[in-house]
Amino acid sequence: MYDWLNALPKAELHLHLEGSLEPELLFALAERNRIALPWNDVEALRAAYAFNNLQEFLDLYYRGADVLRSEQDFYDLTWAYLLKCKAQNVVHVEPFFDPQTHTDRGIPFEVVMRGIKQALVDGEKKLGISHGLILAFLRHLPQEQAFQTLEQAMPFRDAFIGVGLDSSEQGFPPRLFERVFAKARSEGLHAVAHAGEEGPPEYIWEALDLLKIVRIDHGVRASEDERLMQRIIDEQIPLTVCPLSNTKLCVFEHMGQHNILDMLERGVKVTVNSDDPAYFGGYVTENFMALHEGLGMSEEQAKRLAQNSLDARLV
Ligand code: ADE
Ligand code: ZN
């Protein structure tokens, strides 16, 4: 089944480039940049990948991202991810990057953007993988800083297709970012947002009605609100679901409890994605495989999920 799932043509629509930083590359970049790490080796770092919730993961994720310093580092990170995509027949990617994670440490915006974009352009030319890059705002920081980030990004307007919203969800509702999303949309950018990962269905309503998002990242808690479910089905609003992430971060206790296939069967446009594959135990094929093993996903369901990902592309 693994080889069959691996060979299915797929798009990945929910992937944080910083979350694809494998421990081996993290150590190599630390050495290149002469950064001391608190872990003795790759195994010790991997052993730290045990999380009870989103925040515990984010604390380690931001710490890991600190080894990314130069344009070459961002290139190498993105290129390594694209090679994984090639090996798994992921033919189109719409990855996120978090500029504020880097600009807040003094890394110039253009260093981040140039390294990532060059790798994506090379991926298109050399690997045949098409892309649309999404700039994500960190929701634990004030909207004013998101505005500054958008301003820094505008000289590179053609390099990305949309804006997203990520980081700590609980206590940081979408409504806090209504104005910056309106500004981004006025520039012709698509809007997406993490909503209903840990946060309640109300956050999904806000993301749809106030941020005017065209795709919901995670959204698994939509199943708690029947009226919301009906809207998502009627309007065929895609959900970028990340099964291994959800079990690793204890959104579901185990894969057998995941609601993705129930949603699929109700007509929700759900897709399968890896979120932060270096931290959660696998890339897209591993996420499909986990659904097969944990939920009994059939080949026919896998085909529909893969087709949904191709249909839900923004570009
Ligand atoms: N940043 C990276 N991964 C994330 C996730 N799963 N939720 C929110 N923010 C994130
Ligand atoms: Zn995510």
Side-chain angles (χ1 to χ4, degrees):
M1 186 72 168
Y2 185 94
D3 290 345
W4 185 87
L5 291 169
N6 204 54
L8 265 186
K10 304 172 275 293
E12 177 146 65
L13 308 176
H14 186 153
L15 176 285
H16 303 265
L17 285 168
E18 294 89 345
S20 70
L21 178 57
E22 290 286 345
E24 289 79 7
L25 183 57
L26 193 156
F27 268 79
L29 296 182
E31 194 172 329
R32 183 196 276 177
N33 295 322
R34 301 182 198 290
I35 298 164
L37 294 174
W39 310 279
N40 281 337
D41 51 32
V42 165
E43 285 67 41
L45 174 54
R46 271 223 169 81
Y49 292 176
F51 313 110
N52 293 301
N53 52 48
L54 174 59
Q55 192 58 52
E56 286 186 12
F57 155 69
L58 289 170
D59 292 343
L60 197 62
Y61 164 89
Y62 293 127
R63 179 128 205 209
D66 183 44
V67 303
L68 297 160
R69 301 279 171 100
S70 68
E71 193 171 317
Q72 186 67 48
D73 297 342
F74 287 95
Y75 183 97
D76 292 347
L77 171 75
T78 308
W79 187 250
Y81 166 61
L82 290 169
L83 290 178
K84 290 280 188 185
C85 290
K86 186 70 185 168
Q88 298 199 343
N89 206 18
V90 174
V91 300
H92 178 81
V93 294
E94 293 183 3
F96 302 114
F97 74 120
D98 292 340
Q100 289 156 290
T101 298
H102 313 299
T103 53
D104 277 9
R105 312 181 275 120
I107 312 291
F109 182 91
E110 53 269 28
V111 165
V112 181
M113 180 57 107
R114 287 209 181 97
I116 291 173
K117 190 66 190 180
Q118 189 59 52
L120 290 170
V121 168
D122 286 353
E124 199 127 16
K125 272 194 297 216
K126 298 177 185 169
L127 306 174
I129 299 169
S130 54
H131 73 271
L133 182 61
I134 299 173
L135 182 161
F137 301 121
L138 298 182
R139 68 200 308 160
H140 69 274
L141 297 176
Q143 175 170 246
E144 234 12 80
Q145 292 183 22
F147 266 113
Q148 286 166 12
T149 301
L150 186 59
E151 204 163 294
Q152 289 172 328
M154 288 325 286
F156 302 89
R157 170 65 189 83
D158 294 343
F160 61 106
I161 61 162
V163 294
L165 187 66
D166 64 6
S167 192
S168 321
E169 186 180 13
Q170 300 267 29
F172 300 98
R175 64 176 177 273
L176 298 175
F177 295 88
E178 187 174 357
R179 285 188 300 112
V180 75
F181 267 67
K183 169 79 175 147
R185 284 185 282 104
S186 77
E187 301 286 355
L189 291 160
H190 296 285
V192 299
H194 284 53
E197 177 186 18
E198 284 188 343
E202 290 71 40
Y203 284 20
I204 304 176
W205 283 106
E206 281 184 19
L208 291 169
D209 292 336
L210 303 181
L211 307 189
K212 307 203 186 304
I213 60 167
V214 292
R215 201 163 68 197
I216 302 163
D217 296 315
H218 292 295
V220 291
R221 289 194 59 190
S223 63
E224 295 169 26
D225 180 336
E226 186 47 36
R227 207 162 59 85
L228 178 58
M229 282 291 282
Q230 210 50 60
R231 174 166 178 195
I232 289 169
I233 294 165
D234 289 347
E235 297 182 18
Q236 286 290 285
I237 302 162
L239 264 59
T240 63
V241 178
C242 309
L244 285 174
S245 165
N246 292 154
T247 49
K248 274 280 187 185
L249 301 185
C250 306
V251 171
F252 296 96
E253 235 171 72
H254 57 85
M255 202 55 81
Q257 293 183 339
H258 206 291
N259 59 7
I260 183 171
L261 294 187
D262 292 338
M263 291 219 213
L264 178 71
E265 294 311 326
R266 282 205 58 188
V268 179
K269 205 160 193 61
V270 280
T271 64
V272 178
N273 306 270
S274 69
D275 206 5
D276 302 285
Y279 293 87
F280 299 151
Y283 291 76
V284 176
T285 302
E286 284 77 23
N287 274 272
F288 272 95
M289 197 62 196
L291 295 180
H292 175 61
E293 289 175 343
L295 278 176
M297 176 194 68
S298 68
E299 288 190 1
E300 182 273 327
Q301 288 174 317
K303 276 192 209 167
R304 271 192 282 151
L305 289 163
Q307 188 60 49
N308 282 351
S309 73
L310 297 169
D311 295 345
R313 291 180 283 197
L314 292 174
V315 287

